Amino acid sequence: MLGKLFQHEWKRVYKVECLLLAVLFVFSVAGALMFASPMGNLIFGDGGRYMTETEIFFWTMTFITSIFMYVIVVIGVMYGSMIYLGVNFYRSMYTDEGYLAHTLPVTPHQLLGSKVLVGALWTFIMQVGMAISIFLLVFSMVVAEDPTMLGDMKELFAELEVLEPDTKGMIIHGGIMYLCAVLVSPFASMSILFGALTIGQLSKKHKGMMGILAYFGIMVANSIITQITQTIGSILAMRMESYSASGYNEVMFYTYDVQILITLLIGAGLYFLSHYIISQKLNLN
Amino acid sequence: MNDLVQIVNLTKVYEAGRIAINDITLNLPKGRIIGLLGPNGSGKTTLIKMMNGLLTPTSGSIRINGNEVGVETKAHVAYLPDRTYLSGNQKISEVLDFFCDFYEDFDRSKALEMLKSLDIEPDRKMQTLSKGTKEKVQLILVMSRKADLYILDEPIAGVDPAARDYILRTIINNYNPEATVLISTHLIGDIEQVLDEVIFLRYGQLVLYTSVDHIREQKGKSVDAYFREVFAC
C-alpha cells in the first residue's frame, strides 16, 4: 500500500514542483548566458577597455540587480516548494479531503510515510537543482571575469591530493557529513513541517494557524539548540587549539555532526508524534 | 453471532464539555437497511465519524466484524460523508483508479456503467461538476464497492426530489445484499420505504432502536409520524 500511496501522492504534487524547477532552470540558464555573453564582459570589465563612471555604475547596478533577482527566485522556489508541500499535506489530511485519506485501508505509518517520502524527495531534488543552478551561475561568472581562473581551480583540486592525512581526513569527514545532511535533512524537514501541522490539530480552534505557529516555534527552538551547540563547540574548539593545531577544526566538525543529529532527532520525534496524533487523537472537523 | 457492528458504552465529549454521544451501547445486525434518525445536533454524524475512524471516542469501543476501527474495518466499510472529499483537480477516471488501487472490493466496470447511465463523462474534472453531480459521483464510488457495511451520511440532503429518487434507487439496486446499510438523515418521509430498522438519537443518547414493522404495528404510525411525535418541540 505504501507504494500505491507514494504513487498517488507523487501525482498530486509533481506538476507544481516541476513548474518551480522550470522557473529555477529558466533563471539559472538566463543568468549563466548573460554572464557568459559579451554583456558579462562588460559587467566584470573587459580587459582594460576604458569605461566611464556612468558605465561602471550602470554595469555594477545591472550585476547587483541580476544577483538580487536570482537570489529572490532561488529563495522563492525553495520556500514555494516547501509551502506547497505543507499546504498539500494539510489539505489532503485535515480538510474535507482528509475524509478520504483517513478512511483508506492503510496504516497511519503508510499514510504519513508516503507523504514524508514524496516531500523529502522533492526537497532533495530542489536542493540538487539549486546546487546545479548556483554552480552554473558561478561557473559562468568565473569564465566571464577571468577564463584563466579555471586553471587555478584545477590547481586547487591538485593541491587537495597532497594534503596532510589529518587535514584530508577532516575534509573527507566533513564531506561525508555534508552528504548525509543533504540526503537525510529533507526527511527531517518534512517530518518537522508535517509534524507541526499535525500538532495544530490538537488545538480547539484555528487548527491551521496553530500548525503554522507550531512550525515556527519548533524552528526557533531548533535554532536556539543549534546556537547553544555552536557556542559550546566553539569554546571547546578554542581550548583544543592550544593542545594541537588541528584540534579546533576537529571539534568544530564534531559540533556540526551533533547539530545534524539534533535536527534528525527532532524530525524523528515529530514523525512519531504525528503518528500518535493521527492514530490516537484524530478529530476531523 | 449475527452482529456486524458492536458499539459498547460509546461516549464522545467535545471541547468545553459538550457531550455529542452519551454512553451508547448498540449492536447492528448484518443484512439490514438501518436509518440513523435524529434532529440536527443529535450526534448522528459524530457517531458515523467515530465508526470510520475520523473522530477518536472519549470512551467506549466500536467493533466492526469483530475488529476495532482500523485498517481491517476500513477495507470493508464504504463511507459516504456529508461533504465532497475528492480533490477538484482530479478527473473522475483518476478517482476510479484511486479506488481500484485501495479497495479490493471496488468494481470499476459497475462504476463506469452507473456514470454512463447519468451521462457523466469519466474524463471530466471534479471541479467542473455541479454540487449535485459531485454527490452522485461520490455515491457511485461508494455503491460500486462490495462492502460489508455502507455508511451514508445525509445522502439525500440538499438535492432535488428527482435526484433523491435516483440516489435511493442507486442505494437499493447496488448494495451488497449481505451487507448492512446505515443511512443517516432527517428526511424520513423520503427514505422510510426502504428502511428495515431505525435508530433514534437525541442529544447524543439512544432513544430507540427498533424495526420499522414494529413501529407500524405497535404504534400504528409511519416512522415519519412517530419521529415527529417523539421529537416534537
Side-chain angles (χ1 to χ4, degrees), chain A residues 178-233:
Chain A
Y178 178 73
L179 201 66
C180 284
V182 166
L183 288 174
V184 184
S185 70
F187 290 92
S189 305
M190 285 302 113
S191 296
I192 291 171
L193 177 63
F194 297 164
L197 292 172
T198 304
I199 287 172
Q201 290 302 301
L202 296 175
S203 166
K204 290 170 189 171
K205 286 178 183 174
H206 311 299
K207 294 183 174 189
M209 184 55 72
M210 293 311 286
I212 294 168
L213 287 177
Y215 179 71
F216 284 115
I218 291 162
M219 294 314 283
V220 167
N222 190 19
S223 299
I224 292 169
I225 294 168
T226 304
Q227 281 304 316
I228 292 169
T229 318
Q230 184 86 30
T231 310
I232 294 170

Side-chain angles (χ1 to χ4, degrees), chain A residues 252-263:
Chain A
M252 287 316 289
F253 270 122
Y254 285 123
T255 307
Y256 185 51
D257 295 355
V258 171
Q259 286 170 355
I260 294 171
L261 203 65
I262 288 170
T263 306

Side-chain angles (χ1 to χ4, degrees), chain A residues 1 4-5 7-8 11-12 15 91 96-100 102-108 110 202-204 207 277-285, chain B residues 12 14-16 49 52-56 70-71 74-75 77 79 81-90 94 97-103 125:
Chain A
M1 284 294 185
K4 286 176 185 172
L5 283 168
Q7 199 184 333
H8 286 283
K11 266 191 206 168
R12 267 180 81 100
K15 283 180 189 166
R91 196 189 294 159
D96 288 353
E97 289 179 34
Y99 279 68
L100 181 59
H102 293 290
T103 50
L104 291 174
V106 297
T107 63
Q110 288 169 333
L202 296 175
S203 166
K204 290 170 189 171
K207 294 183 174 189
I277 293 169
I278 290 171
S279 53
Q280 303 293 326
K281 299 275 178 192
L282 185 69
N283 282 305
L284 278 194
N285 284 336
Chain B
K12 177 67 187 176
Y14 284 121
E15 296 84 23
K49 281 165 79 173
N52 284 286
L54 298 172
L55 282 179
T56 310
V71 178
K74 288 171 185 176
V77 174
Y79 169 50
D82 58 349
R83 59 193 72 201
T84 306
Y85 62 15
L86 300 172
S87 166
N89 294 326
Q90 281 183 304
E94 289 170 343
D97 293 341
F98 187 89
F99 270 66
C100 277
D101 277 348
F102 290 102
Y103 298 109
K125 278 196 171 185

